[in-house]
Amino acid sequence: MSQILKMVAQRFALGFLTLFIVSLIIFLGIELLPGDIAEEILGQSATPETVAAFRKELGLDVPAHIRYFDWLWGMLNGDMGRSLANKREISELIGLRFGNTLFLAVTAAAISVPLALTLGVLAALYRHSFYDRAVNVVTLSSISFPEFFVAYILIFLLSVTFPIFPSIANISDATPFWEKVYKVLLPALTLTLVVVAHMMRMTRAAIINLLASPYIEMANLKGLSRARVIVKHALPNALAPIINVVVINLAYLIVGVVVVEVVFVYPGLGQLMVDSVSKRDLPVVQASAMIFAGTYVLLNLLADILSILTNPRLLHPR
Amino acid sequence: MKSDNKLSSAMNTDVSRRGFLGGTAALGVTVASTSALMGKKAYAAKKGGHLRAGIAHGSTTDSLDPATYENGFSLALDYTLFNHLGEVDHTGAVRPELAESWEASPDATTWSFKLRQGVEFHNGKTLEASDVIASIEYHMGEDTKSAAKSLLKQVKSMKADGKNEVVIELEAGNADFPYVISDYHIAIKPAKDGKIDPTEGIGTGPYALENYEPGVRLMANKNKNYFKSDRAHFDQVELITIIDLAARQNALTTGEIDMMDRADLKTVHLLKRQKGINVMETVGYKHYTMPMRTDTAPFDKNDLRLALKYSLDREELVKKILRGHGVVGNDHPISPTNQYHAEGLAQRMYDPDKAKFHFKKAGLEGTTIQLSAADAAFPGAVDAAVLYKEHAAKAGIDIEVVREPNDGYWSNVWMKKGWCACYWGGRPTEDWMFTTAYAAGADWNDTFWNHDRFNELLLAARAELDSDKRRTMYYEMQEIVSNDGGVVVPMFANYVFAASDKILPSEQMAGNWELDGSKFTERWSFA
């Protein structure tokens, strides 16, 4: 167990280093982009005078490295700062959006993970059957289409032709919980179609891989049923790779949903980040990038820990 | 000069011209009239209801600060929460709003605005002259970032005459000053210790702010004490940012929203076919331009400018880029909706021979002319540039289309590259448009143009209160810009928008901005 703790500590340190590097890259990247927030916000109506006045008001006349370290110091002290564009507390701004993004991700995960695992186990169980092929074709097709296309098809089917769901997920703080769930079902379904194939195929492959092992042969020779062999004997040993792919998809559900957010007009973090990049609102971009990077680091760590817990042999790589 | 006589005389001519336009559809466009849309149904606004409007703009970086208002969402927000000294009506004339009336000295340098009495802000404070002065002052001075700064440069002094009158003295006469002071940036907010708080949403407008999430939505409730008793019909309005076009049109067709702006010109004929949806369009000031830097070779040669002006088939651009939802331009920025639009000025036609002649005269045969374009300039700008290239090729002129990134277009391309694509929302008055972008040394003189006669006329016309004399001067100025200016104005684009038939728009819509001068929350209602 202490070995696991040691690994976790190591990984945390590495994670912080990663976040630091990410913040540097993002900062430099935005500095390299043409124009700054003063020019972008004033747009076509900018004059040199108003741009200069705006820059001064925002403190953009300070050299870049000082602004960066100011920001870093604030972050380390738990202060995300304020948006340059509208002076709102970033923690408040992001809190709201991140909450929405998580809500959508959790809804999508609640549908897609059990669905993918079930489909995957069944596909392994009935390998090469018609069912196996059908599931593969359907999931692989849905993953092959761009997200917005899947989204439009779903809107066409489920809100235009058969008006079951609303075509936009127009939610706010005041929306009651179940109404929120109802409104995000269509985007969640889109995401499900996009991620399910990956998880399903991995589950199927991992289990099939194990089916050739001696202890499965033993179980078969004992005369156990095929379902029991797979669920009881193969699945626990296949968990490590499955957990990995599930967690990577969870991370995707959080950080990769910008397109879905746009199509369904969903107020999530992705849209916030895109807007902020295009307007060069650096503190907001930095904060959202940190959250996205942090999500990946944490989920990866979680995946490793869970894999090791299910299969302690992984602690000792050969 | 009383606003009611002088300005309305100017307006009458406008009404008759517009009436002519609407009646005969002379240019193939009409100002949408509600009675036509609604069939024989009588016009009757219904009170109440929750309006949901899908707006094609809005970004998380927006704010309530009127200094930075620039997109369709902030305009709608502005007119929902705030009032201004005057408002532009459906004839294009400016009418008193928070001002009750205004008067000018005979040379149009001193303007006094009588304020409407008993108007209350959403927080219960009564409107006074000091609020108006503080609201205007916010856009003036060294360290303001306001886009209205250049408009207010002409203000020499401002003072309150009692609680209900504001006297503004200008550096030079300006007959259009009531238009200028009614600019959407100059929203009237309550003052505290002589300053307004730009970030709070308290105004005198038809609706009071309930909740604003930049880039997502604005919720506002009816202002029960609104001073216009026949306006503000909804109980609650919700403006929703829906940037994705397909999402916006889907939301309208599935009833998620009641109305939307910026219909897709490519599919608007399909939208029209939908039951229960009305597509509307208004002719506005919005025009697409291609400014050249007249201070840089080779665009400093007027023969080249003329050659390029003659080598464009405008009709085809209107047909292919605007899908017919617009009118051809005549190389000057004054729209057919403007009061002093030069009707007699001959329309410039596509003429490869003339183009060839001027190109040769400029001595540039064999050279390649670069035209920078990105869709940030206007939707379809890149396609328009490619069409331009094809048209010019017939005149032996080689145009190289340089495709620029949308990102940073306004800071790196516009007013930097020799020739590029651009758009102008336009301005309600000739003086305003010319002063903003054509006067020598103006901040946004994107052609870096300097024409003595033009500059002289600009000053003279501005201070002239006689409408006929002004008309003659503005006609001449349009002619000068068209023949000598550095700008190609291929077309004026209509505003095209749509609403469900549960919505009753104004009987006659204003064309100064999209969606009934962006005042739909105040002027429209449920049917």
Side-chain angles (χ1 to χ4, degrees):
Chain A
M1 201 59 194
S2 70
Q3 253 171 321
I4 293 182
L5 284 180
K6 197 174 141 204
M7 185 207 74
V8 169
Q10 265 176 357
R11 294 290 297 274
F12 257 112
L14 217 69
F16 271 110
L17 186 69
T18 314
L19 289 183
F20 173 70
I21 294 170
V22 166
S23 78
L24 252 181
I25 293 173
I26 299 274
F27 186 86
L28 288 177
I30 298 247
E31 284 294 310
L32 286 179
L33 285 175
D36 64 10
I37 184 165
E39 284 178 349
E40 291 302 328
I41 286 199
L42 296 177
Q44 195 204 16
S45 63
T47 65
E49 284 171 24
T50 51
V51 167
F54 201 178
R55 274 191 192 137
K56 213 170 129 198
E57 182 187 318
L58 298 175
L60 289 181
D61 43 354
V62 178
H65 62 277
I66 298 183
R67 277 185 284 129
Y68 175 72
F69 284 111
D70 270 355
W71 171 82
L72 195 64
W73 181 246
M75 262 321 239
L76 289 175
N77 288 302
D79 173 20
M80 289 181 164
R82 281 168 184 272
S83 153
L84 293 179
N86 48 24
K87 312 285 184 315
R88 289 178 68 192
E89 284 281 355
I90 292 175
S91 43
E92 179 198 327
L93 192 67
I94 286 189
L96 214 74
R97 299 299 191 91
F98 194 49
N100 285 343
T101 295
L102 278 184
F103 185 76
L104 176 56
V106 167
T107 315
I111 304 172
S112 61
V113 173
L115 184 70
L117 294 187
T118 317
L119 289 178
V121 170
L122 289 177
L125 194 58
Y126 301 108
R127 196 156 27 133
H128 303 314
S129 68
F130 172 76
Y131 161 81
D132 183 23
R133 279 165 225 256
V135 166
N136 269 306
V137 166
V138 171
T139 54
L140 282 179
S141 318
S142 72
I143 204 177
S144 309
F145 288 121
E147 284 159 49
F148 71 87
F149 184 74
V150 175
Y152 286 148
I153 295 290
L154 283 182
I155 289 176
F156 178 72
L157 288 177
L158 297 179
S159 63
V160 177
T161 318
F162 305 101
I164 304 171
F165 295 110
S167 72
I168 57 173
N170 178 19
I171 67 157
S172 74
D173 276 4
T175 317
F177 179 77
W178 286 109
E179 195 185 330
K180 240 184 196 172
V181 172
Y182 168 68
K183 283 188 167 170
V184 303
L185 266 182
L186 215 48
L189 226 61
T190 309
L191 287 174
T192 299
L193 285 177
V194 173
V195 297
V196 105
H198 197 188
M199 294 191 279
M200 185 286 272
R201 304 261 307 169
M202 194 50 145
T203 309
R204 178 179 178 274
I207 291 174
I208 287 175
N209 219 2
L210 282 177
L211 288 182
S213 336
Y215 70 91
I216 298 292
E217 207 169 329
M218 181 65 203
N220 279 335
L221 289 177
K222 277 199 295 189
L224 294 180
S225 77
R226 202 167 160 69
R228 195 178 161 80
V229 169
I230 286 179
V231 176
K232 273 269 176 183
H233 295 247
L235 193 58
N237 284 298
L239 272 181
I242 295 175
I243 287 170
N244 256 309
V245 72
V246 166
V247 169
I248 284 185
N249 278 296
L250 288 184
Y252 173 80
L253 287 180
I254 294 171
V255 309
V257 298
V258 179
V259 175
V260 173
E261 283 177 11
V262 170
V263 172
F264 289 100
V265 199
Y266 188 76
L269 198 52
Q271 188 59 46
L272 177 73
M273 185 153 169
V274 169
D275 277 356
S276 305
V277 170
S278 69
K279 290 282 167 66
R280 320 279 188 258
D281 195 343
L282 196 61
V284 180
V285 180
Q286 287 280 37
S288 346
M290 288 298 102
I291 289 184
F292 285 154
T295 305
Y296 258 106
V297 169
L298 271 181
L299 284 178
N300 257 323
L301 181 63
L302 186 74
D304 286 356
I305 296 173
L306 285 179
S307 310
I308 287 168
L309 289 181
T310 58
N311 190 352
R313 269 180 307 170
L314 290 173
L315 257 187
H316 310 282
R318 261 170 290 178
Chain B
M1 187 192 86
K2 261 270 195 246
S3 61
D4 300 304
N5 38 54
K6 197 75 193 181
L7 275 169
S8 63
S9 77
M11 221 186 67
N12 278 338
T13 60
D14 194 46
V15 171
S16 58
R17 195 176 54 72
R18 284 273 294 242
F20 168 76
L21 263 186
T24 61
L27 294 161
V29 287
T30 47
V31 179
S33 144
T34 313
S35 17
L37 285 171
M38 299 290 154
K40 284 179 204 114
K41 213 155 102 191
Y43 182 89
K46 206 165 79 184
K47 295 271 169 197
H50 174 102
L51 173 78
R52 297 156 306 163
I55 308 289
H57 288 115
S59 141
T60 42
T61 51
D62 290 347
S63 71
L64 286 166
D65 185 350
T68 57
Y69 288 170
E70 56 132 13
N71 62 38
F73 195 94
S74 41
L75 264 169
L77 173 152
D78 184 24
Y79 287 121
T80 298
L81 304 179
F82 304 107
N83 289 123
H84 307 75
L85 280 182
E87 65 172 327
V88 174
D89 69 8
H90 64 94
T91 66
V94 62
R95 295 288 197 172
E97 191 173 33
L98 282 181
E100 201 173 52
S101 65
W102 45 67
E103 264 177 63
S105 61
D107 61 351
T109 53
T110 309
W111 286 85
S112 55
F113 293 86
K114 262 209 183 62
L115 300 184
R116 206 172 284 279
Q117 298 202 19
V119 176
E120 261 180 32
F121 285 102
H122 300 146
N123 61 3
K125 185 184 182 305
T126 310
L127 172 80
E128 286 174 15
S130 57
D131 301 315
V132 174
I133 291 180
S135 301
I136 299 172
E137 256 168 7
Y138 173 65
H139 301 275
M140 298 167 66
E142 263 321 291
D143 51 355
T144 182
K145 61 186 181 215
S146 174
K149 183 180 181 179
S150 55
L151 292 177
L152 294 171
K153 261 189 194 144
Q154 53 185 309
V155 174
K156 197 155 108 191
S157 74
M158 258 189 309
K159 63 172 197 292
D161 187 356
K163 280 195 163 174
N164 292 310
E165 195 163 338
V166 178
V167 180
I168 300 178
E169 202 188 336
L170 307 179
E171 300 280 357
N174 186 349
D176 288 329
F177 191 65
Y179 275 103
V180 170
I181 205 69
S182 306
D183 178 53
Y184 66 91
H185 294 100
I186 310 170
I188 306 300
K189 295 189 165 199
K192 218 192 253 165
D193 307 322
K195 285 229 187 305
I196 58 160
D197 180 351
T199 56
E200 65 175 16
I202 295 173
T204 56
Y207 300 88
L209 180 65
E210 154 99 13
N211 175 302
Y212 176 42
E213 177 64 31
V216 182
R217 79 168 62 71
L218 173 92
M219 286 276 228
N221 300 319
K222 183 175 181 145
N223 173 4
K224 297 224 166 61
N225 296 327
Y226 195 44
F227 68 92
K228 300 179 195 170
S229 51
D230 58 335
R231 299 274 188 91
H233 304 292
F234 304 106
D235 286 336
Q236 196 173 40
V237 296
E238 181 176 3
L239 308 179
I240 311 164
T241 291
I242 309 182
I243 294 175
D244 188 68
L245 219 145
R248 201 159 64 249
Q249 294 197 167
N250 269 330
L252 182 66
T253 44
T254 57
E256 294 297 311
I257 53 175
D258 305 308
M259 54 175 289
M260 58 172 263
D261 62 352
R262 304 245 164 159
D264 180 13
L265 299 182
K266 285 179 195 142
T267 57
V268 73
H269 59 285
L270 296 173
L271 194 61
K272 270 183 192 156
R273 263 192 244 155
Q274 290 272 347
K275 261 212 188 98
I277 286 180
N278 289 322
V279 175
M280 297 163 261
E281 64 186 289
T282 50
V283 190
Y285 311 122
K286 183 166 77 178
H287 54 285
Y288 297 158
T289 68
M290 287 150 183
M292 308 166 216
R293 289 195 61 146
T294 57
D295 62 343
T296 320
F299 302 106
D300 52 349
K301 292 197 175 81
N302 193 35
D303 274 307
L304 170 66
R305 305 201 295 257
L306 280 171
L308 292 175
K309 285 173 188 174
Y310 279 117
S311 60
L312 172 64
D313 184 349
R314 288 145 220 268
E315 302 284 349
E316 191 179 1
L317 248 56
V318 170
K319 209 157 70 193
K320 295 206 168 138
I321 306 294
L322 296 178
R323 313 257 160 179
H325 299 280
V327 290
V328 291
N330 205 9
D331 297 331
H332 65 71
I334 305 305
S335 140
T337 358
N338 275 87
Q339 206 169 331
Y340 301 120
H341 171 75
E343 266 159 273
L345 191 61
Q347 173 63 44
R348 179 157 287 126
M349 306 296 278
Y350 177 45
D351 192 336
D353 290 333
K354 273 192 187 156
K356 206 178 270 175
F357 167 76
H358 286 288
F359 197 55
K360 204 171 157 189
K361 211 170 140 200
L364 289 165
E365 272 171 307
T367 52
T368 300
I369 312 290
Q370 288 193 329
L371 171 58
S372 295
D375 280 351
F378 56 86
V382 178
D383 298 339
V386 173
L387 282 173
Y388 205 149
K389 177 190 165 77
E390 296 297 321
H391 300 159
K394 286 194 189 127
I397 301 175
D398 182 22
I399 293 180
E400 186 198 338
V401 177
V402 184
R403 188 173 185 162
E404 308 277 357
N406 283 337
D407 227 29
Y409 187 79
W410 300 111
S411 38
N412 296 334
V413 179
W414 183 61
M415 292 187 77
K416 299 269 187 331
K417 298 284 173 75
W419 191 25
C420 69
C422 169
Y423 90 99
W424 280 91
R427 298 290 184 270
T429 72
E430 292 72 13
D431 178 61
W432 192 341
M433 188 67 229
F434 282 141
T435 308
T436 313
Y438 295 85
D443 282 329
W444 301 319
N445 182 344
D446 55 8
T447 51
F448 298 84
W449 189 58
N450 186 354
H451 192 284
D452 294 337
R453 174 73 184 148
F454 178 88
N455 294 327
E456 202 178 291
L457 281 168
L458 185 62
L459 287 181
R462 186 182 301 154
E464 181 57 65
L465 287 170
D466 183 321
S467 182
D468 288 335
K469 283 190 191 152
R470 293 188 91 191
R471 172 168 292 113
T472 330
M473 290 192 256
Y474 283 129
Y475 274 27
E476 189 183 342
M477 287 161 77
Q478 288 168 55
E479 200 178 342
I480 297 175
V481 175
S482 180
N483 291 332
D484 184 85
V487 70
V488 180
V489 183
M491 54 204 171
F492 286 82
N494 289 356
Y495 297 119
V496 184
F497 41 92
S500 105
D501 60 3
K502 294 190 191 86
I503 292 285
L504 185 63
S506 316
E507 209 155 5
Q508 281 184 307
M509 284 190 259
N512 53 330
W513 297 108
E514 188 148 20
L515 299 173
D516 199 1
S518 218
K519 286 202 143 189
F520 58 96
T521 55
E522 177 181 311
R523 293 175 182 166
W524 295 11
S525 69
F526 277 107

